[in-house]
Amino acid sequence: MKPPGRPVREKFSFKPTWPKRRGEPPPLGAAAQPRGFSGIRLSVGDDLEAVAEFFAALPPKSGAAGAERLSVLALSGGGAGGAFGAGALVGLTRTGARPAFDMVTGVSTGALIAPFAFVGSDWDHRLTDAYTGGHVAGVLGLAGVRPGQALYPSDRLTALVTRYVDAAMLEAIATAHAEGRRLFVATANLDAQTTSIWDMGAIATQGGPHALALFADVLVASASLPGIFPPTMIQVEWGGQTFEEMHVDGGAISPLFVVPEPMILKRAQHWKVSAVDVYALVNTTLHPYPRTTPVGALPVLVRSFELMLRSSYRSALRAVAAFCEINGFELKTASVPSDFGGMSMLRFDRSIMSRMYDKGVALAEAGELWGPPP
């Protein structure tokens, strides 16, 4: 396989993800899958036994190169705060302290980082360009707002994803998947109101334009914050019929995950190793940022939304901490420093994102990135 070169623009086309009229979703409880694929995702519902059985078949076999200790990286959402997570990974590379992660999970902007974290340090230049090269600011800046079904048209986020995700990346992911490593991305199925966890390595293994298109669709869906980006429509089949599911930002249900929610308070008996290191990289600030809120519908709405998001991230991190405590796993966490607490994580400004990227690099290089849960 050729080493990754410059990011390439997409060489395949996508159908519009927001049609004027949509197809019907599959019946409740139907085990629907995208056409040509099987066993590539878990729909997290109330059936704990089914969830445990499906998920148990997916995690790593015995760790990288047969090691007895697994390294798991969980990447959260956070919008522009993903620049911090990107910098943190690059900083770990520079110090030689970056694990070869056996399992990587991602949600929202964390889903966009996850493939790079999974394939390794050789792809750091592409990850850096994605968050500091100005492409995000150019496409998602205020000048790009086109109010309609959402603030930005459906092709904006797709253009960013397909700029950096190509056949070479899918080949690298498929190779790692064959070695027993796993890459998972979460989306929110808005019709069923459940989390879908996608096995991205299984998708990559199939190869070809169809797999590349689905891979990109899942990333776009996971990062499609409702109201900011339109939902992603994914066609699925069940019982010989075609249906259409509406997927949005995975953070709408699960802003950070290591295992599906029904398994949080269960023992991870499927990991047959002596120890597990869990790294939770949170791409937003977790500490309150007190300030006077102006009287008005919009300021109150924005501040309330920020409070709700921060609370959901802290709750998700506590759930991960509980899972690790139950199983005796070591948990290390990192989050965007409080220095950036007054900045909107939806402001895709190149200079601010570069500052967050540099902060992530600096903390990693200084050995000050990871700590206990806040």
Side-chain angles (χ1 to χ4, degrees), residues 78-81 140-142 151-152 225 228-229 305 309 343-349:
L140 302 181
L142 291 178
L151 288 182
Y152 295 96
L225 183 66
I228 306 299
F229 302 105
F305 184 66
L309 283 180
M343 299 178 185
S344 171
M345 293 295 110
L346 296 179
R347 184 181 176 187
F348 297 95
D349 179 272

Side-chain angles (χ1 to χ4, degrees), residues 17-19 149-150 154 190 220-221 224 226-227 229-233 246-248:
T17 57
W18 185 271
Q149 289 94 359
S154 60
L190 207 55
V220 169
S224 293
F229 302 105
T232 298
M233 309 305 296
M246 180 182 287
H247 289 259
V248 297

